[in-house]
């Protein structure tokens, strides 16, 4: 009898260990998103004037993607593509505006939550205000501290944030004048510290280096001379009295904000190491779209001084490469080969199916994304997109499609197609040579592909005008 009890107990213990190992096999996931950080703003992508040592180390220890794309050229639809796995020809939210995610929408956080993950988010949400179906607690988040309204994220300092407590997001005070991204980082570190039982998904959505060009002195200091002047002189001050706060040195402040987010990434990486979580945690760093021209920043600042788009053409709100191609770095100790570079062509709508595979979850139907897990782990069998698609309505409707090395951008006027531009990205990544007159057959092919890859918008705000 004693032997039987011992064997029974041993079997149960073994079963428990196997179940525990199965859960542990699901990796933790940390997705860090910068706000309006250009493709060329950090050293792994050619930046020489702005200090980003932690992202340089992350790229050296991980995998750097050179042809990865945001969901859109502005924040809300880019984040919607990230959360739903759909591109802007299909997703409900196709532009900025107070349009919430619907209860019926596929949600990345819901998917992971339903498959055993504790889900936490800090920073800018922008996909649903209080009282709507898009509020974080209705979209699968267990933990949230941040901004609901995207305009709240235009300020770097504030006295309140939204927090999810007892199943409801409410506005809570923070110390007057706090640098809010400091708080987001501390909340992220606390979330990681408190995870013990379940695999976790942490989405860190910073508001740097966007808009209000205000940054802590310690991050500004490397970009000032001994006399306290900007190293990027001459500077044109951002005056008081506008929506954005005054800033005597916009170029130096922007550089400081990029260095700030680099430091925050370093803090998160150290915490994972300290907690012994690095070997079972996938960390991804990306930006939501191209670099901005706000808060006193000029086009020459972005393209000539900082070279924020690298060798690419365009900035935020463009469908040229500089508006949608983003830095994308993946790190997973012991799983991702260090110091590798990938030219895999992917986009934000690939995140959901990739994380679904890692979480051993079923991939939802009706999405546009493909898992890039094989490429992530340098394995064979990576499936490729037929094409990638974007559309954007501000300042006149326009569409873009990339098929292999070919890319077309179609511009509309008064709701009708006006002209199309054609580029060969392998030979001309800067989109300097429009080939529309040289290859009309390719233009027609890609225009037909644009028509086929979109469905009419269900929301009137995003219909072709």
């Amino acid at each position: 009898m004693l032997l039987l009890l011992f064997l029974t107990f041993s079997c149960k213990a073994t079963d428990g260990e196997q179940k525990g190992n199965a859960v542990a096999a699901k990796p933790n996931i940390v997705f860090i998103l910068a706000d309006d950080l250009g493709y060329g703003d950090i050293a792994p992508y050619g930046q020489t004037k702005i200090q980003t040592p932690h992202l340089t180390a992350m790229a050296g220890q991980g995998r750097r993607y050179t042809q990865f794309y945001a969901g859109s050229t502005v924040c809300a639809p880019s984040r919607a593509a990230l959360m739903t796995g759909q591109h802007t020809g299909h997703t409900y939210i196709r532009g900025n505006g107070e349009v919430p995610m619907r209860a019926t929408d596929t949600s990345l956080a819901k998917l992971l939550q339903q498959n055993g993950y504790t889900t936490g988010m800090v920073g800018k949400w922008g996909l649903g205000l209080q009282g709507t179906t898009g509020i974080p607690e209705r979209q699968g988040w267990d933990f949230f501290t941040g901004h609901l309204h995207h305009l709240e994220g235009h300020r770097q300092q504030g006295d309140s944030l939204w927090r999810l407590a007892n199943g409801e997001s409410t506005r809570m005070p923070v110390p007057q004048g706090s640098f809010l991204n400091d708080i987001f980082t501390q909340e992220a570190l606390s979330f990681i510290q408190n995870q013990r039982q379940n695999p976790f998904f942490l989405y860190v959505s910073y508001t740097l280096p966007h808009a209000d060009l205000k940054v802590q002195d310690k991050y500004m200091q490397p970009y000032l001379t001994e006399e306290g002047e900007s190293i990027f002189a001459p500077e044109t001050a951002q005056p008081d009295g506008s929506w954005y706060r005054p800033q005597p040195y916009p170029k130096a402040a922007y550089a400081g904000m990029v260095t700030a987010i680099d430091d925050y990434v370093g803090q998160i990486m150290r915490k994972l190491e300290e907690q012994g979580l690095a070997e079972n945690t996938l960390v991804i760093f990306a930006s939501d779209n191209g670099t901005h021209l706000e808060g006193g920043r000029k086009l020459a600042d972005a393209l000539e001084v900082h070279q924020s788009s690298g060798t690419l053409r365009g900035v935020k709100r463009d469908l040229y490469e500089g508006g949608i191609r983003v830095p994308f770095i993946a790190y997973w100790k012991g799983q991702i080969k260090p110091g590798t570079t990938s030219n895999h062509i992917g986009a934000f709508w690939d995140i959901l199916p990739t994380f679904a595979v890692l979480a051993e979850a079923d991939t939802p139907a009706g999405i546009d994304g493909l898992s890039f897990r094989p490429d992530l782990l340098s394995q064979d069998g990576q499936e490729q997109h037929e094409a990638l698609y974007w559309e954007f309505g501000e300042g006149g409707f326009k569409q873009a499609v990339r098929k292999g090395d070919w890319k077309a951008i179609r511009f509309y006027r008064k709701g009708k197609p006006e002209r199309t531009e054609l580029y060969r990205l392998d030979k001309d990544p800067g989109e300097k040579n429009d080939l529309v007159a040289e290859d009309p057959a390719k233009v027609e092919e890609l225009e037909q592909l644009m028509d086929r890859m979109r469905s009419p918008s269900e929301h009137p705000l995003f219909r072709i005008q």
Side-chain angles (χ1 to χ4, degrees):
M1 180 63 71
L2 289 172
L3 179 61
L4 180 61
L5 287 172
F6 174 78
L7 292 173
T8 301
F9 176 79
S10 297
C11 289
K12 287 183 177 180
T14 302
D15 288 344
E17 288 171 3
Q18 290 174 344
K19 290 178 182 177
N21 289 337
V23 172
K26 295 182 179 183
N28 306 309
I29 301 169
V30 178
F31 191 91
I32 306 172
L33 189 65
D35 194 351
D36 292 10
L37 181 82
Y39 183 83
D41 268 331
I42 59 177
Y45 292 84
Q47 179 58 233
T48 60
K49 299 177 181 178
I50 302 175
Q51 300 174 21
T52 56
H54 300 291
L55 288 166
T56 299
M58 183 179 179
Q61 298 164 7
R63 190 161 177 82
R64 181 178 65 98
Y65 283 76
T66 61
Q67 299 191 85
F68 215 94
Y69 291 88
S72 181
T73 189
V74 295
C75 64
S78 192
R79 286 164 168 75
L82 177 68
M83 287 295 120
T84 66
Q86 294 180 314
H87 61 59
T88 48
H90 293 144
T91 192
Y92 184 63
I93 300 173
R94 303 188 185 189
N96 281 343
E98 299 317 312
V99 178
M101 288 182 66
R102 301 167 297 182
T104 54
D105 287 333
T106 299
S107 164
L108 174 58
K110 281 183 186 176
L111 174 72
L112 294 176
Q113 187 185 58
Q114 292 164 1
N115 283 275
Y117 277 70
T118 301
T119 57
M121 180 194 164
V122 298
K124 184 168 78 173
W125 173 234
L127 298 176
L129 302 179
Q130 187 180 40
T132 72
T133 52
I135 196 80
E137 57 265 31
R138 297 184 183 179
Q139 291 297 330
W141 297 106
D142 297 312
F143 175 92
F144 168 68
T145 298
H147 302 302
L148 293 181
H149 197 298
H150 69 276
L151 288 178
E152 295 170 348
H154 283 227
R155 300 289 195 192
Q156 296 303 322
Q157 293 175 282
D159 56 12
S160 66
L161 289 168
W162 293 87
R163 294 182 189 272
L164 175 56
N166 300 318
E168 182 179 2
S169 292
T170 56
R171 190 182 286 277
M172 302 292 288
V174 298
Q176 182 74 31
S178 297
F179 279 91
L180 299 176
N181 286 280
D182 276 347
I183 295 176
F184 299 153
T185 303
Q186 291 306 310
E187 291 285 288
L189 299 178
S190 295
F191 180 85
I192 293 170
Q193 178 78 31
N194 294 329
Q195 301 314 307
R196 290 289 185 273
Q197 303 302 320
N198 301 321
F200 65 84
F201 170 46
L202 174 61
Y203 173 35
V204 186
S205 179
Y206 286 116
T207 62
L208 293 165
H210 181 220
D212 190 23
L213 297 179
K214 182 70 174 177
V215 67
Q216 300 95 311
D217 290 342
K218 65 179 179 179
Y219 298 126
M220 186 82 156
Q221 195 61 43
Y223 308 103
L224 300 178
T225 66
E226 292 182 359
E227 294 75 29
E229 303 290 328
S230 171
I231 66 170
F232 299 109
E235 292 262 22
T236 300
Q238 166 70 10
D240 198 359
S242 66
W243 165 253
Y244 297 111
R245 299 181 187 183
Q247 174 53 255
Y249 303 133
K251 288 179 275 190
Y254 183 88
M257 293 165 81
V258 174
T259 294
I261 198 169
D262 178 81
D263 183 55
Y264 296 145
V265 170
Q267 292 183 48
I268 291 171
M269 301 294 275
R270 284 195 299 274
K271 175 59 72 171
L272 292 171
E273 285 285 354
E274 291 169 2
Q275 295 296 111
L277 296 170
E279 292 184 355
N280 197 42
T281 302
L282 168 64
V283 184
I284 290 177
F285 174 85
S287 176
D288 65 344
N289 47 249
T291 190
H292 69 84
L293 306 177
E294 301 170 54
R297 199 162 187 245
K298 307 294 189 295
L299 184 61
D301 300 344
L303 300 186
E304 297 173 18
V305 177
H306 294 135
Q307 297 184 321
S308 292
S309 298
T311 60
L312 305 178
R313 178 180 179 180
V315 294
K316 178 181 179 179
R317 292 187 169 83
D318 290 327
L319 290 184
Y320 296 114
E321 294 291 284
I324 52 177
R325 195 189 293 201
V326 293
F328 193 92
I329 303 171
Y331 168 82
W332 186 357
K333 188 175 183 179
Q335 298 292 330
I336 291 177
K337 291 182 179 179
T340 54
T341 298
S342 173
N343 61 4
H344 171 70
I345 301 171
F348 272 17
W349 45 94
D350 295 330
I351 299 296
L352 186 146
T354 303
F355 289 2
V357 170
L358 293 173
E360 302 174 2
D362 293 333
T363 301
I367 66 170
D368 299 303
L370 299 174
S371 169
F372 60 96
R373 181 185 182 277
D375 186 87
L376 198 66
L377 302 180
S378 300
Q379 298 172 346
D380 295 332
Q382 177 60 57
E383 189 176 2
Q384 303 295 328
H385 284 282
E386 176 193 6
L388 302 179
Y389 174 91
W390 300 264
E391 65 181 55
F392 184 59
E394 288 183 31
F397 189 82
K398 47 187 173 284
Q399 299 167 285
V401 65
R402 176 171 180 175
K403 182 179 181 181
D405 291 321
W406 289 96
K407 181 181 173 187
I409 307 174
R410 182 161 63 180
F411 298 84
Y412 284 64
R413 187 171 184 269
K414 296 182 178 180
K416 301 293 183 182
E418 181 181 33
R419 62 184 174 87
T420 299
E421 297 176 3
L422 179 68
Y423 299 99
R424 182 72 186 263
L425 294 178
D426 58 332
K427 299 177 179 179
D428 180 27
E431 296 168 297
K432 297 177 181 178
N433 303 310
D434 184 359
L435 303 176
V436 66
E438 299 179 24
D439 200 337
K442 180 62 67 174
V443 173
E444 182 179 2
E445 174 193 345
L446 296 184
E447 286 179 338
Q448 291 177 355
L449 188 57
M450 290 180 194
D451 294 336
R452 181 162 58 86
M453 290 189 73
R454 81 176 301 270
S455 58
S457 173
E458 297 179 58
H459 196 286
L461 184 62
F462 309 127
R463 292 174 186 163
I464 298 176
Q465 296 179 5

